[in-house]
Amino acid sequence: MASPVPTGRADLHIHTSDGDGMASIEEILDAAEASGDLDLLAITEHDDLSPGLRARDRWAHGNYPFTVIPGVEVTTRSGHVIALFVEHPIRSFLTTERTVAAIHEAGGLALIPHPLSWLTRSVGARVMSRLLLNPETTPDAVEISPSPAARVTARRAAHLNETEWKLPRYGGSDAHFPEFIGAAVTLFPGGSESDLRLAIENGVTHGELARPVSARSLGLRRIVRQQWRGLAVTPRKILGPQIARIIHRQPAP
């Protein structure tokens, strides 16, 4: 019996200006609407579920041709893990095994972004091997992305997934600028949120690099500003705004 033909398109890794992204929730929704080629998008801020929940609320009060899924990119002791389909925060800085198990206990799916990358906190090969030993800690999918962090290890990650991990692949742009939204997509049968979840669970998703976005088109000043923002994101989310002000030498309000 032939596999269902993928018809839905989703970008499952997007950041906002509530974290280290450079676009507000409204700007992200407008950019996704202008592109016209996404059925779903996931807002996955670092260690903070609230931007995803606010984005879903904003979407619910609009008339957008796509669905918003709230998510969170959780910092573990050994890298980042994206939690989708969760309604409550997932604790940061647990072991990666405990984080994946906690996501599953909360009824969510655990995705591995930019696997093996040394440019950002990423789950490495040894940790992946440990995760796969237990169904409760086995991730649900692994990412394909055009982000610089993902590109540096893309070939090795693809080889290991094909030969050892054998996990479904999903597309996530890891967009920190609105121009990147939809640069990678998850293809899946159907078009709804429930269709996407079922496709990941059944291993019938396909990750695809949809279009290139050059650093030149973003501009050096914007890139530097985003990188500077990123230095304070995890401390701010985990330890509070006082830490962020110390890092940036900002006065208290």
Side-chain angles (χ1 to χ4, degrees):
M1 182 177 178
S3 299
V5 177
T7 57
R9 297 170 64 86
D11 184 345
L12 301 182
H13 189 175
I14 298 174
H15 292 279
T16 76
S17 57
D18 288 313
D20 63 347
M22 300 300 288
S24 68
I25 288 170
E26 289 74 17
E27 289 169 333
I28 288 169
L29 298 183
D30 289 345
E33 183 174 28
S35 73
D37 61 356
L38 289 175
D39 296 292
L40 298 101
L41 59 87
I43 301 298
T44 55
E45 203 48 75
H46 290 281
D47 301 293
D48 188 357
L49 181 62
S50 62
L53 296 175
R54 289 200 302 274
R56 184 175 63 183
D57 184 66
R58 177 69 181 86
W59 163 81
H61 288 84
N63 188 29
Y64 298 98
F66 52 81
T67 300
V68 171
I69 304 172
V72 57
E73 187 171 3
V74 184
T75 302
T76 80
R77 296 178 191 173
S78 303
H80 291 157
V81 176
I82 288 177
L84 291 186
F85 305 108
V86 294
E87 296 294 326
H88 302 286
I90 304 295
R91 281 181 59 193
S92 301
F93 293 119
L94 300 174
T95 65
T96 309
E97 292 93 330
R98 184 69 190 97
T99 300
V100 174
I103 293 169
H104 289 157
E105 289 166 7
L109 298 183
L111 314 183
I112 303 297
H114 40 73
L116 314 183
S117 180
W118 42 266
L119 284 180
T120 189
R121 294 183 64 89
S122 303
V123 175
R126 290 183 181 179
V127 175
M128 282 292 292
S129 296
R130 294 203 307 267
L131 293 174
L132 295 168
L133 293 175
N134 186 336
E136 294 181 0
T137 64
T138 295
D140 297 287
V142 64
E143 184 176 83
I144 293 175
S145 176
S147 72
R151 287 203 306 266
V152 295
T153 51
R155 283 189 181 179
R156 182 171 177 237
H159 173 73
L160 285 174
N161 192 52
E162 183 176 344
T163 59
E164 298 180 22
W165 306 340
K166 302 184 185 301
L167 294 171
R169 300 199 294 177
Y170 75 95
S173 64
D174 197 0
H176 290 76
F177 299 91
E179 292 93 332
F180 263 93
I181 296 170
V185 293
T186 304
L187 304 178
F188 63 99
S192 69
E193 182 177 344
S194 59
D195 290 335
L196 171 67
R197 174 162 192 151
L198 186 63
I200 295 174
E201 292 174 338
N202 289 339
V204 294
T205 58
H206 175 68
E208 180 177 273
L209 301 180
R211 55 181 171 78
V213 179
S214 69
R216 180 176 296 181
S217 70
L218 298 176
L220 179 60
R221 181 174 296 182
R222 291 176 73 202
I223 293 172
V224 170
R225 285 178 58 204
Q226 189 279 317
Q227 291 294 304
W228 182 244
R229 268 182 89 86
L231 291 175
V233 167
T234 295
R236 185 174 72 241
K237 298 296 184 183
I238 304 302
L239 301 175
Q242 293 293 340
I243 296 298
R245 283 196 288 270
I246 291 171
I247 292 175
H248 288 288
R249 293 189 173 89
Q250 296 174 344

Short mmCIF file of all heavy atoms in Angstrom, two decimals, residues 189-244:
data_model
loop_
_atom_site.label_atom_id
_atom_site.label_comp_id
_atom_site.label_asym_id
_atom_site.label_seq_id
_atom_site.Cartn_x
_atom_site.Cartn_y
_atom_site.Cartn_z
N PRO A 189 1.20 14.32 5.30
CA PRO A 189 -0.13 14.08 4.73
C PRO A 189 -1.19 14.89 5.48
O PRO A 189 -1.23 14.89 6.71
CB PRO A 189 -0.34 12.58 4.93
CG PRO A 189 1.03 12.02 5.16
CD PRO A 189 1.79 13.10 5.85
N GLY A 190 -2.06 15.54 4.75
CA GLY A 190 -3.11 16.34 5.37
C GLY A 190 -2.70 17.80 5.46
O GLY A 190 -1.87 18.28 4.70
N GLY A 191 -3.28 18.50 6.42
CA GLY A 191 -2.95 19.92 6.55
C GLY A 191 -3.24 20.49 7.91
O GLY A 191 -2.90 21.63 8.19
N SER A 192 -3.84 19.68 8.80
CA SER A 192 -4.24 20.18 10.11
C SER A 192 -3.20 19.88 11.17
O SER A 192 -2.25 19.10 10.95
CB SER A 192 -5.58 19.55 10.52
OG SER A 192 -5.42 18.18 10.80
N GLU A 193 -3.40 20.47 12.34
CA GLU A 193 -2.52 20.22 13.48
C GLU A 193 -2.54 18.74 13.88
O GLU A 193 -1.49 18.14 14.14
CB GLU A 193 -2.96 21.09 14.66
CG GLU A 193 -2.11 20.97 15.90
CD GLU A 193 -2.57 21.93 16.98
OE1 GLU A 193 -3.32 22.88 16.68
OE2 GLU A 193 -2.16 21.72 18.14
N SER A 194 -3.72 18.15 13.89
CA SER A 194 -3.82 16.73 14.25
C SER A 194 -3.18 15.85 13.18
O SER A 194 -2.57 14.82 13.49
CB SER A 194 -5.28 16.33 14.47
OG SER A 194 -6.06 16.57 13.32
N ASP A 195 -3.29 16.26 11.90
CA ASP A 195 -2.63 15.52 10.82
C ASP A 195 -1.12 15.54 11.02
O ASP A 195 -0.44 14.51 10.83
CB ASP A 195 -2.96 16.13 9.46
CG ASP A 195 -4.40 15.90 9.04
OD1 ASP A 195 -5.01 14.93 9.50
OD2 ASP A 195 -4.90 16.72 8.24
N LEU A 196 -0.58 16.70 11.39
CA LEU A 196 0.87 16.82 11.60
C LEU A 196 1.33 15.92 12.73
O LEU A 196 2.31 15.19 12.59
CB LEU A 196 1.24 18.27 11.90
CG LEU A 196 2.70 18.48 12.34
CD1 LEU A 196 3.66 18.18 11.20
CD2 LEU A 196 2.90 19.89 12.87
N ARG A 197 0.61 15.98 13.84
CA ARG A 197 1.01 15.16 14.98
C ARG A 197 0.99 13.67 14.60
O ARG A 197 1.93 12.93 14.92
CB ARG A 197 0.10 15.42 16.18
CG ARG A 197 0.40 14.46 17.32
CD ARG A 197 -0.11 14.90 18.65
NE ARG A 197 0.47 14.05 19.68
CZ ARG A 197 0.70 14.42 20.91
NH1 ARG A 197 0.40 15.64 21.30
NH2 ARG A 197 1.24 13.59 21.78
N LEU A 198 -0.06 13.25 13.95
CA LEU A 198 -0.17 11.85 13.56
C LEU A 198 0.95 11.46 12.60
O LEU A 198 1.51 10.36 12.70
CB LEU A 198 -1.53 11.60 12.91
CG LEU A 198 -1.87 10.16 12.56
CD1 LEU A 198 -1.94 9.29 13.81
CD2 LEU A 198 -3.20 10.10 11.80
N ALA A 199 1.31 12.37 11.71
CA ALA A 199 2.37 12.08 10.75
C ALA A 199 3.72 11.91 11.44
O ALA A 199 4.50 11.02 11.09
CB ALA A 199 2.45 13.20 9.72
N ILE A 200 4.00 12.76 12.44
CA ILE A 200 5.26 12.62 13.19
C ILE A 200 5.26 11.30 13.95
O ILE A 200 6.24 10.55 13.93
CB ILE A 200 5.45 13.81 14.14
CG1 ILE A 200 5.63 15.11 13.36
CG2 ILE A 200 6.67 13.58 15.05
CD1 ILE A 200 5.68 16.36 14.23
N GLU A 201 4.16 11.01 14.62
CA GLU A 201 4.06 9.77 15.40
C GLU A 201 4.20 8.53 14.51
O GLU A 201 4.76 7.51 14.95
CB GLU A 201 2.74 9.74 16.16
CG GLU A 201 2.66 10.78 17.27
CD GLU A 201 1.30 10.85 17.94
OE1 GLU A 201 0.30 10.41 17.30
OE2 GLU A 201 1.22 11.34 19.07
N ASN A 202 3.69 8.61 13.29
CA ASN A 202 3.75 7.47 12.38
C ASN A 202 5.01 7.47 11.50
O ASN A 202 5.20 6.56 10.68
CB ASN A 202 2.52 7.45 11.47
CG ASN A 202 1.26 7.08 12.24
OD1 ASN A 202 1.32 6.47 13.30
ND2 ASN A 202 0.10 7.45 11.70
N GLY A 203 5.85 8.49 11.67
CA GLY A 203 7.11 8.53 10.93
C GLY A 203 6.97 8.79 9.45
O GLY A 203 7.78 8.30 8.65
N VAL A 204 5.95 9.58 9.05
CA VAL A 204 5.73 9.82 7.62
C VAL A 204 5.92 11.29 7.25
O VAL A 204 5.42 11.74 6.22
CB VAL A 204 4.33 9.33 7.18
CG1 VAL A 204 4.25 7.82 7.30
CG2 VAL A 204 3.22 10.00 7.98
N THR A 205 6.66 12.03 8.07
CA THR A 205 7.00 13.40 7.71
C THR A 205 8.26 13.41 6.85
O THR A 205 9.05 12.47 6.85
CB THR A 205 7.24 14.27 8.95
OG1 THR A 205 8.29 13.69 9.73
CG2 THR A 205 5.98 14.39 9.78
N HIS A 206 8.46 14.52 6.16
CA HIS A 206 9.67 14.70 5.36
C HIS A 206 10.15 16.13 5.54
O HIS A 206 9.38 17.08 5.40
CB HIS A 206 9.38 14.44 3.88
CG HIS A 206 10.54 14.72 2.98
ND1 HIS A 206 11.69 13.96 3.00
CD2 HIS A 206 10.74 15.69 2.06
CE1 HIS A 206 12.56 14.44 2.12
NE2 HIS A 206 12.00 15.49 1.53
N GLY A 207 11.40 16.31 5.91
CA GLY A 207 11.97 17.64 6.05
C GLY A 207 12.60 18.09 4.75
O GLY A 207 13.27 17.31 4.07
N GLU A 208 12.37 19.35 4.40
CA GLU A 208 12.85 19.85 3.11
C GLU A 208 13.36 21.28 3.26
O GLU A 208 12.73 22.12 3.93
CB GLU A 208 11.70 19.82 2.10
CG GLU A 208 12.06 20.31 0.71
CD GLU A 208 10.91 20.20 -0.25
OE1 GLU A 208 10.74 19.11 -0.86
OE2 GLU A 208 10.13 21.17 -0.39
N LEU A 209 14.52 21.55 2.66
CA LEU A 209 15.01 22.92 2.57
C LEU A 209 14.28 23.58 1.41
O LEU A 209 14.46 23.20 0.25
CB LEU A 209 16.53 22.95 2.35
CG LEU A 209 17.36 22.25 3.43
CD1 LEU A 209 18.85 22.36 3.10
CD2 LEU A 209 17.08 22.86 4.80
N ALA A 210 13.45 24.57 1.72
CA ALA A 210 12.54 25.11 0.71
C ALA A 210 13.17 26.21 -0.13
O ALA A 210 12.94 26.29 -1.34
CB ALA A 210 11.28 25.64 1.40
N ARG A 211 13.98 27.06 0.48
CA ARG A 211 14.58 28.16 -0.27
C ARG A 211 15.76 28.72 0.53
O ARG A 211 15.75 28.70 1.76
CB ARG A 211 13.57 29.26 -0.54
CG ARG A 211 12.88 29.79 0.71
CD ARG A 211 11.87 30.85 0.40
NE ARG A 211 11.07 31.19 1.56
CZ ARG A 211 11.48 31.97 2.55
NH1 ARG A 211 12.69 32.51 2.52
NH2 ARG A 211 10.68 32.23 3.58
N PRO A 212 16.77 29.23 -0.16
CA PRO A 212 17.92 29.81 0.54
C PRO A 212 17.64 31.24 0.98
O PRO A 212 16.84 31.95 0.36
CB PRO A 212 19.02 29.77 -0.52
CG PRO A 212 18.27 29.91 -1.82
CD PRO A 212 16.95 29.20 -1.61
N VAL A 213 18.27 31.66 2.07
CA VAL A 213 18.25 33.05 2.51
C VAL A 213 19.70 33.45 2.77
O VAL A 213 20.37 32.83 3.60
CB VAL A 213 17.41 33.26 3.78
CG1 VAL A 213 17.43 34.72 4.21
CG2 VAL A 213 15.98 32.80 3.56
N SER A 214 20.20 34.44 2.07
CA SER A 214 21.60 34.81 2.20
C SER A 214 21.81 35.77 3.36
O SER A 214 20.94 36.59 3.68
CB SER A 214 22.11 35.45 0.90
OG SER A 214 21.51 36.72 0.72
N ALA A 215 22.99 35.66 3.98
CA ALA A 215 23.35 36.60 5.04
C ALA A 215 23.40 38.02 4.50
O ALA A 215 23.06 38.98 5.19
CB ALA A 215 24.68 36.20 5.65
N ARG A 216 23.81 38.16 3.26
CA ARG A 216 23.90 39.50 2.66
C ARG A 216 22.54 40.19 2.62
O ARG A 216 22.44 41.40 2.84
CB ARG A 216 24.48 39.39 1.25
CG ARG A 216 24.61 40.74 0.54
CD ARG A 216 25.27 40.58 -0.82
NE ARG A 216 26.65 40.12 -0.68
CZ ARG A 216 27.46 39.91 -1.72
NH1 ARG A 216 27.02 40.11 -2.96
NH2 ARG A 216 28.69 39.50 -1.51
N SER A 217 21.49 39.40 2.36
CA SER A 217 20.15 40.00 2.28
C SER A 217 19.68 40.49 3.65
O SER A 217 18.83 41.38 3.74
CB SER A 217 19.16 38.98 1.72
OG SER A 217 18.92 37.93 2.64
N LEU A 218 20.20 39.89 4.74
CA LEU A 218 19.82 40.31 6.08
C LEU A 218 20.57 41.56 6.51
O LEU A 218 20.03 42.40 7.24
CB LEU A 218 20.08 39.18 7.08
CG LEU A 218 19.30 37.89 6.86
CD1 LEU A 218 19.74 36.83 7.86
CD2 LEU A 218 17.80 38.13 6.97
N GLY A 219 21.82 41.67 6.09
CA GLY A 219 22.63 42.82 6.48
C GLY A 219 23.44 42.54 7.74
O GLY A 219 22.93 41.95 8.70
N LEU A 220 24.70 42.95 7.73
CA LEU A 220 25.60 42.66 8.83
C LEU A 220 25.11 43.28 10.14
O LEU A 220 25.20 42.64 11.21
CB LEU A 220 27.01 43.19 8.51
CG LEU A 220 28.07 42.99 9.60
CD1 LEU A 220 28.26 41.51 9.88
CD2 LEU A 220 29.39 43.63 9.17
N ARG A 221 24.57 44.47 10.11
CA ARG A 221 24.14 45.12 11.35
C ARG A 221 23.02 44.34 12.02
O ARG A 221 23.04 44.16 13.25
CB ARG A 221 23.68 46.55 11.05
CG ARG A 221 23.24 47.31 12.29
CD ARG A 221 22.94 48.76 11.98
NE ARG A 221 24.14 49.46 11.56
CZ ARG A 221 24.18 50.77 11.26
NH1 ARG A 221 23.06 51.48 11.34
NH2 ARG A 221 25.30 51.33 10.89
N ARG A 222 22.06 43.87 11.25
CA ARG A 222 20.96 43.09 11.83
C ARG A 222 21.47 41.77 12.41
O ARG A 222 21.02 41.33 13.47
CB ARG A 222 19.90 42.79 10.77
CG ARG A 222 19.11 44.02 10.31
CD ARG A 222 18.16 43.63 9.21
NE ARG A 222 17.02 42.85 9.71
CZ ARG A 222 16.29 42.05 8.94
NH1 ARG A 222 16.60 41.88 7.66
NH2 ARG A 222 15.27 41.40 9.45
N ILE A 223 22.40 41.14 11.73
CA ILE A 223 22.95 39.87 12.21
C ILE A 223 23.68 40.07 13.53
O ILE A 223 23.52 39.29 14.48
CB ILE A 223 23.87 39.24 11.15
CG1 ILE A 223 23.06 38.81 9.93
CG2 ILE A 223 24.63 38.05 11.73
CD1 ILE A 223 23.89 38.36 8.76
N VAL A 224 24.49 41.13 13.61
CA VAL A 224 25.23 41.41 14.85
C VAL A 224 24.27 41.70 15.99
O VAL A 224 24.46 41.23 17.12
CB VAL A 224 26.21 42.58 14.63
CG1 VAL A 224 26.81 43.03 15.96
CG2 VAL A 224 27.32 42.17 13.68
N ARG A 225 23.23 42.48 15.71
CA ARG A 225 22.24 42.78 16.75
C ARG A 225 21.57 41.51 17.26
O ARG A 225 21.34 41.35 18.47
CB ARG A 225 21.17 43.74 16.20
CG ARG A 225 21.64 45.19 16.06
CD ARG A 225 20.54 46.04 15.48
NE ARG A 225 19.34 45.99 16.31
CZ ARG A 225 18.12 46.24 15.85
NH1 ARG A 225 17.93 46.52 14.57
NH2 ARG A 225 17.09 46.21 16.67
N GLN A 226 21.26 40.60 16.35
CA GLN A 226 20.61 39.36 16.76
C GLN A 226 21.54 38.50 17.61
O GLN A 226 21.14 37.93 18.62
CB GLN A 226 20.14 38.57 15.52
CG GLN A 226 19.27 37.37 15.84
CD GLN A 226 20.06 36.14 16.26
OE1 GLN A 226 21.08 35.83 15.66
NE2 GLN A 226 19.59 35.46 17.29
N GLN A 227 22.80 38.43 17.21
CA GLN A 227 23.76 37.64 17.97
C GLN A 227 23.93 38.21 19.38
O GLN A 227 24.04 37.47 20.36
CB GLN A 227 25.11 37.60 17.24
CG GLN A 227 25.09 36.79 15.96
CD GLN A 227 24.85 35.31 16.23
OE1 GLN A 227 25.57 34.68 16.98
NE2 GLN A 227 23.83 34.75 15.60
N TRP A 228 23.96 39.54 19.49
CA TRP A 228 24.08 40.17 20.81
C TRP A 228 22.87 39.88 21.67
O TRP A 228 22.99 39.61 22.87
CB TRP A 228 24.28 41.67 20.62
CG TRP A 228 24.47 42.43 21.90
CD1 TRP A 228 23.65 43.39 22.41
CD2 TRP A 228 25.56 42.31 22.82
NE1 TRP A 228 24.16 43.86 23.59
CE2 TRP A 228 25.34 43.22 23.87
CE3 TRP A 228 26.70 41.50 22.86
CZ2 TRP A 228 26.19 43.35 24.95
CZ3 TRP A 228 27.58 41.63 23.93
CH2 TRP A 228 27.31 42.55 24.95
N ARG A 229 21.68 39.91 21.05
CA ARG A 229 20.46 39.56 21.78
C ARG A 229 20.54 38.14 22.32
O ARG A 229 20.15 37.86 23.46
CB ARG A 229 19.24 39.63 20.84
CG ARG A 229 18.50 40.93 20.80
CD ARG A 229 17.31 40.79 19.86
NE ARG A 229 16.15 40.31 20.56
CZ ARG A 229 15.30 41.12 21.20
NH1 ARG A 229 15.52 42.41 21.25
NH2 ARG A 229 14.25 40.63 21.80
N GLY A 230 21.07 37.26 21.49
CA GLY A 230 21.12 35.86 21.87
C GLY A 230 21.98 35.58 23.09
O GLY A 230 21.75 34.58 23.79
N LEU A 231 22.95 36.44 23.37
CA LEU A 231 23.83 36.22 24.52
C LEU A 231 23.08 36.26 25.84
O LEU A 231 23.51 35.66 26.83
CB LEU A 231 24.94 37.27 24.54
CG LEU A 231 25.99 37.17 23.43
CD1 LEU A 231 26.95 38.34 23.51
CD2 LEU A 231 26.74 35.85 23.52
N ALA A 232 21.95 36.97 25.88
CA ALA A 232 21.23 37.15 27.14
C ALA A 232 19.97 36.32 27.26
O ALA A 232 19.33 36.31 28.30
CB ALA A 232 20.87 38.63 27.32
N VAL A 233 19.60 35.59 26.19
CA VAL A 233 18.28 34.95 26.19
C VAL A 233 18.15 33.91 27.28
O VAL A 233 17.24 33.96 28.11
CB VAL A 233 17.98 34.34 24.81
CG1 VAL A 233 16.78 33.41 24.89
CG2 VAL A 233 17.69 35.45 23.83
N THR A 234 19.04 32.92 27.30
CA THR A 234 18.90 31.87 28.31
C THR A 234 19.03 32.40 29.72
O THR A 234 18.21 32.08 30.59
CB THR A 234 19.90 30.73 28.05
OG1 THR A 234 19.58 30.12 26.80
CG2 THR A 234 19.81 29.67 29.14
N PRO A 235 20.03 33.26 30.03
CA PRO A 235 20.07 33.83 31.39
C PRO A 235 18.80 34.58 31.75
O PRO A 235 18.31 34.47 32.88
CB PRO A 235 21.28 34.78 31.33
CG PRO A 235 22.16 34.20 30.29
CD PRO A 235 21.22 33.65 29.25
N ARG A 236 18.24 35.32 30.80
CA ARG A 236 17.03 36.08 31.11
C ARG A 236 15.85 35.16 31.38
O ARG A 236 15.08 35.38 32.31
CB ARG A 236 16.70 37.04 29.96
CG ARG A 236 15.50 37.94 30.27
CD ARG A 236 15.26 38.97 29.19
NE ARG A 236 14.73 38.37 27.99
CZ ARG A 236 15.33 38.40 26.80
NH1 ARG A 236 16.51 38.96 26.67
NH2 ARG A 236 14.77 37.85 25.75
N LYS A 237 15.71 34.12 30.55
CA LYS A 237 14.59 33.22 30.72
C LYS A 237 14.70 32.41 32.00
O LYS A 237 13.70 32.14 32.67
CB LYS A 237 14.49 32.26 29.52
CG LYS A 237 14.26 32.94 28.19
CD LYS A 237 12.93 33.64 28.12
CE LYS A 237 12.70 34.22 26.73
NZ LYS A 237 11.44 34.98 26.66
N ILE A 238 15.93 32.01 32.34
CA ILE A 238 16.11 31.12 33.48
C ILE A 238 16.30 31.88 34.78
O ILE A 238 15.72 31.54 35.82
CB ILE A 238 17.33 30.20 33.25
CG1 ILE A 238 17.14 29.42 31.94
CG2 ILE A 238 17.50 29.24 34.41
CD1 ILE A 238 15.90 28.59 31.88
N LEU A 239 17.11 32.95 34.75
CA LEU A 239 17.49 33.62 35.98
C LEU A 239 16.82 34.98 36.17
O LEU A 239 16.95 35.59 37.22
CB LEU A 239 19.02 33.79 36.02
CG LEU A 239 19.80 32.47 35.93
CD1 LEU A 239 21.29 32.77 35.85
CD2 LEU A 239 19.49 31.57 37.10
N GLY A 240 16.15 35.47 35.13
CA GLY A 240 15.38 36.68 35.29
C GLY A 240 16.03 37.90 34.64
O GLY A 240 17.18 37.88 34.20
N PRO A 241 15.28 38.99 34.52
CA PRO A 241 15.75 40.19 33.82
C PRO A 241 16.95 40.85 34.46
O PRO A 241 17.69 41.57 33.79
CB PRO A 241 14.52 41.11 33.84
CG PRO A 241 13.67 40.60 34.96
CD PRO A 241 13.91 39.14 35.01
N GLN A 242 17.16 40.68 35.77
CA GLN A 242 18.33 41.30 36.41
C GLN A 242 19.62 40.81 35.76
O GLN A 242 20.55 41.59 35.54
CB GLN A 242 18.34 41.00 37.91
CG GLN A 242 17.20 41.64 38.69
CD GLN A 242 17.32 43.15 38.74
OE1 GLN A 242 18.39 43.70 38.52
NE2 GLN A 242 16.21 43.82 39.02
N ILE A 243 19.70 39.52 35.44
CA ILE A 243 20.88 38.96 34.82
C ILE A 243 21.08 39.56 33.43
O ILE A 243 22.19 39.91 33.03
CB ILE A 243 20.79 37.43 34.73
CG1 ILE A 243 20.74 36.83 36.13
CG2 ILE A 243 21.96 36.86 33.94
CD1 ILE A 243 21.98 37.09 36.96
N ALA A 244 19.99 39.69 32.69
CA ALA A 244 20.10 40.27 31.35
C ALA A 244 20.62 41.71 31.41
O ALA A 244 21.42 42.13 30.58
CB ALA A 244 18.74 40.23 30.65
#
